[in-house]
Amino acid sequence: MNSINLITAQTEIFKKAFENSEDGILLLDGIHFIDCNPTAQKMLRANNATEIFNTQPAELSPEKQPDGKLSSEKAQEMISIAQNNGFHRFEWMHRRLNGESFLCEVTLTVLEIDENLVLHTVLREINKLKQHQQKLEESIYLIGQKQQQLNSIINTALDCIVTIDKKGIIQSFNPAACKLFGYTEQEIIGKNISNIVPSPHKEQHDQYLHDFQQTGRVNILGTVLDVSAIKKNGLEFPIRLSVNPIHSKNEILFCGFIHDLSLQKQLEIDLLQHNELLEMEIKLKTEEFIKAKEIAEQANRAKSLFLANMSHELRTPLHGILSFARLGLKNVAKGDLDKLARYFDRVNISGERLLFLLNDLLDLAKLEAGQLKLEIQQYDLKKITENCVAEFEANILEKQLNIHWQKSDGNTLANFDKQRISQVITNLLSNAIKFTEIGNSIFINFSSYKIPHSGNQYIPGLLCSIRDQGLGIPTDELETVFDKFIQSSKTKSNAGGTGLGLAICQEIIMVHKGKIWAEQSEDQGAVFNFVIPL
Ligand code: ADP
């Protein structure tokens, strides 16, 4: 190719490059545009290139540039810089022929053509770029804001938020976690999560991470687990843990939310204990209620029995009195004085029995009403007991009973109402005699005894025990025999008493601030003990 052909071919290439360029290209003679390519023409919305020829850059621009400078002055300034440096690139606000402004990047390059200086002007619209840039900046700002919000949520969260990487290395530890576990951020970040997860969850946790590395699946993700954790001071405590993955471009993190369950667990234990106590209390109350009901029913039955007993007991001597009085009246005329004496004797016995019963009833009524006046003096209890035994001499002889006075340890003096305590001894002796078989023995014993008082204190007392070799009293009736109208199941059928004697004894001993109780003797009989303060 000769040189003319070469120049023609190069010119053709430059022309094509000029006409097909994506950028707008204009030639500026320093003042006016003297040529432009189709892209520049399109950019400026000119119908043909001639509309642009001979215009000055300021004429194709709004009056002022975004920085407030006059376009005419600033254009001159830009051209001067390019002319001085040979090249200048800057942002420029142009105006299309339809009046619409657009931002573009302008590159001015100084060309020397036929000794004339021409400015090669390249326009690149940057409106969209600017918009994208602006959006990007807005997004960055919003992300920054969101990041701040997130940080303040994480920092002020009451629950612990801990992130780890796929190897279990702690990446973040929020203030709640620091407070709960007792670590500073510096101490724990970079350490393995196994520092805060004890066995067996520690091994389990390692297995989860191992599984994840092998399969890409994590078994605990999205689930909520009640496990235990360990503080810096070694204290193990219950937590509720939920783990969720955080996928970022290059790696995966696991975010664990940890809620301290210590208080809740404690409350659950307290509640359980409370419930158990409540159940126990209900059970006790129910038992008490059933017992009270049984006692009430028993008392009711006892009362009915008493009424039946009492009317029988009252009627029997009354009938006796009336029938022997009638017989006496019938036999007065016959003048048989022996017969009459026997009738009067029977009338007398029945009358005494009636009187005895009525006395018991009156005594009990008085004692219960607190009307009994005691005449307390110092007496020898042993002597008083001996007198009472003497009163039963006939009965003792009749049943050939042996009375054993056991050796007492000395003092048998005490302060009491002689008549009332004699009544107690008489009643206990009469029962012992009544229930002891012919030829057997009754043992009487005195000893000193400490009566429990308030706290750990004791009052010195004197104990009197009367033990017989009779039928005895079943263990579960040892207390109830002191109830009014109650008789032991062993003697009920043939005792014939009223069931008032022991109730009276108990009232009398109680007003003396003493104590009375029954026991089962080793040789099957009954032992009745009473103690009174000295
Ligand atoms: P009573 O003897 O008039 O029935 P008490 O109140 O004195 O009334 O006695 C109540 C019941 O206690 C008696 O009916 C009897 O069942 C039982 N009891 C009392 N003393 C003895 C005893 N020494 N041995 C066996 N049972 C006794």
Side-chain angles (χ1 to χ4, degrees):
M1 196 182 282
N2 62 29
S3 57
I4 296 177
N5 281 348
L6 189 66
I7 291 169
T8 316
Q10 278 180 346
T11 311
E12 193 57 27
I13 289 168
F14 286 135
K15 195 175 167 216
K16 278 223 167 99
F18 179 72
E19 281 176 354
N20 295 324
S21 168
E22 277 290 303
D23 295 328
I25 304 174
L26 300 107
L27 294 179
L28 186 66
D29 64 2
I31 299 168
H32 301 104
F33 289 117
I34 53 171
D35 199 357
C36 71
N37 74 347
T39 309
Q41 193 184 307
K42 238 163 96 189
M43 255 183 202
L44 294 161
R45 304 287 188 267
N47 294 323
N48 49 55
T50 52
E51 282 182 355
I52 294 166
F53 295 169
N54 286 324
T55 56
Q56 295 184 11
E59 287 176 82
L60 293 176
S61 309
E63 191 193 350
K64 286 184 180 171
Q65 287 301 303
D67 61 4
K69 287 188 178 169
L70 282 172
S71 294
S72 51
E73 286 174 8
K74 193 168 176 178
Q76 208 45 58
E77 193 187 318
M78 298 294 112
I79 289 166
S80 301
I81 297 172
Q83 282 170 341
N84 287 339
N85 301 340
F87 169 86
H88 186 40
R89 182 172 285 158
F90 53 91
E91 280 184 12
W92 188 261
M93 186 64 86
H94 261 297
R95 194 180 57 208
R96 310 183 208 275
L97 292 181
N98 64 4
E100 194 180 276
S101 295
F102 68 100
L103 193 67
C104 55
E105 184 192 74
V106 178
T107 312
L108 296 179
T109 314
V110 181
L111 303 173
E112 200 178 323
I113 301 169
D114 300 336
E115 293 183 3
N116 290 322
L117 289 181
V118 171
L119 287 163
H120 178 266
T121 310
V122 177
L123 301 187
R124 183 171 292 164
E125 266 201 70
I126 57 169
N127 258 0
K128 278 194 183 141
L129 199 70
K130 272 276 162 194
Q131 276 170 9
H132 283 313
Q133 199 176 338
Q134 208 170 336
K135 272 194 182 151
L136 198 67
E137 277 168 9
E138 276 172 17
S139 300
I140 290 171
Y141 174 75
L142 282 176
I143 288 172
Q145 290 257 318
K146 288 263 182 285
Q147 181 69 44
Q148 260 184 9
Q149 285 172 6
L150 200 66
N151 281 348
S152 67
I153 290 171
I154 292 172
N155 290 339
T156 54
L158 288 179
D159 277 344
C160 308
I161 304 172
V162 176
T163 52
I164 55 166
D165 66 8
K166 63 182 179 188
K167 286 187 181 154
I169 305 298
I170 297 173
Q171 304 293 313
S172 74
F173 213 69
N174 77 338
C178 290
K179 193 169 166 207
L180 182 63
F181 285 91
Y183 288 105
T184 63
E185 256 188 288
Q186 290 83 349
E187 280 174 329
I188 196 71
I189 287 179
K191 297 270 169 60
N192 197 285
I193 187 73
S194 54
N195 280 280
I196 62 165
V197 182
S199 291
H201 310 295
K202 189 172 179 166
E203 290 72 23
Q204 215 176 349
H205 198 272
D206 291 344
Q207 188 60 44
Y208 288 144
L209 291 176
H210 177 76
D211 290 353
F212 170 72
Q213 275 160 20
Q214 297 292 310
T215 63
R217 281 198 316 270
V218 179
N219 300 338
I220 53 167
L221 289 192
T223 54
V224 176
L225 297 174
D226 284 0
V227 291
S228 49
I230 195 153
K231 297 191 184 194
K232 188 183 172 184
N233 62 12
L235 191 83
E236 205 172 313
F237 66 105
I239 57 161
R240 179 157 294 159
L241 168 73
S242 69
V243 180
N244 281 294
I246 306 170
H247 294 278
S248 69
K249 205 174 166 197
N250 302 321
E251 56 171 352
I252 183 168
L253 292 179
F254 301 105
C255 180
F257 290 87
I258 297 171
H259 179 69
D260 181 8
L261 290 182
S262 309
L263 191 69
Q264 189 178 328
K265 290 277 174 207
Q266 193 51 51
L267 284 176
E268 278 172 19
I269 293 170
D270 287 354
L271 201 72
L272 214 72
Q273 279 177 350
H274 185 74
N275 276 353
E276 274 171 12
L277 273 177
L278 215 67
E279 267 174 30
M280 231 154 75
E281 229 167 85
I282 291 173
K283 207 172 146 202
L284 274 175
K285 286 273 176 247
T286 314
E287 277 169 11
E288 269 173 30
F289 174 74
I290 292 172
K291 211 167 168 187
K293 190 173 159 255
E294 275 169 10
I295 289 171
E297 281 171 358
Q298 201 179 359
N300 207 23
R301 279 198 301 274
K303 202 159 215 163
S304 308
L305 194 66
F306 161 76
L307 285 175
N309 258 355
M310 213 51 206
S311 45
H312 172 78
E313 291 295 318
L314 288 171
R315 230 181 260 141
T316 313
L318 252 178
H319 274 306
I321 292 167
L322 290 172
S323 34
F324 283 112
R326 264 187 236 113
L327 272 176
L329 282 172
K330 265 189 201 166
N331 286 294
V332 170
K334 290 184 189 161
D336 186 343
L337 289 180
D338 282 347
K339 246 186 188 174
L340 283 178
R342 273 204 315 274
Y343 293 155
F344 276 125
D345 190 37
R346 292 301 174 107
V347 169
N348 188 36
I349 290 169
S350 297
E352 271 177 2
R353 168 126 186 90
L354 200 56
L355 185 67
F356 175 72
L357 265 172
L358 290 173
N359 276 343
D360 264 6
L361 273 178
L362 284 174
D363 272 358
L364 201 63
K366 262 195 211 164
L367 282 161
E368 282 185 344
Q371 286 172 354
L372 192 74
K373 287 227 164 65
L374 297 180
E375 282 172 28
I376 304 266
Q377 275 186 39
Q378 194 179 59
Y379 299 100
D380 186 339
L381 187 62
K382 191 175 177 200
K383 276 207 178 117
I384 302 290
T385 312
E386 282 167 357
N387 292 342
C388 295
V389 171
E391 281 176 32
F392 285 103
E393 205 185 329
N395 309 63
I396 292 167
L397 278 174
E398 193 190 340
K399 288 186 92 175
Q400 296 157 32
L401 301 175
N402 304 304
I403 306 291
H404 297 273
W405 296 91
Q406 291 186 314
K407 226 178 144 205
S408 71
D409 58 3
N411 177 41
T412 46
L413 291 178
N415 288 297
F416 53 88
D417 182 310
K418 185 179 157 195
Q419 195 197 336
R420 292 297 163 190
I421 292 298
S422 300
Q423 195 178 347
V424 171
I425 297 166
T426 305
N427 190 64
L428 297 183
L429 276 175
S430 99
N431 281 343
I433 293 165
K434 184 160 62 177
F435 296 117
T436 303
E437 292 298 317
I438 296 172
N440 279 341
S441 303
I442 293 171
F443 303 84
I444 303 171
N445 180 36
F446 298 92
S447 60
S448 56
Y449 187 94
K450 287 178 182 170
I451 308 171
H453 194 49
S454 58
N456 288 334
Q457 296 193 323
Y458 293 94
I459 297 175
L462 181 61
L463 171 80
C464 171
S465 300
I466 299 174
R467 175 162 69 90
D468 61 51
Q469 292 183 317
L471 296 164
I473 301 168
T475 322
D476 60 342
E477 293 175 12
L478 289 171
E479 280 184 24
T480 51
V481 287
F482 288 93
D483 292 343
K484 294 182 286 277
F485 322 121
I486 295 286
Q487 292 183 324
S488 153
S489 54
K490 281 200 177 173
T491 67
K492 213 180 263 179
S493 51
N494 58 357
T498 59
L500 288 174
L502 287 178
I504 292 171
C505 290
Q506 196 176 39
E507 293 288 342
I508 293 171
I509 296 296
M510 263 161 61
V511 287
H512 276 83
K513 300 199 177 15
K515 197 177 139 195
I516 183 166
W517 69 98
E519 287 170 2
Q520 183 72 316
S521 152
E522 281 163 14
D523 53 2
Q524 278 202 338
V527 188
F528 278 85
N529 306 293
F530 73 88
V531 57
I532 43 173
L534 291 181

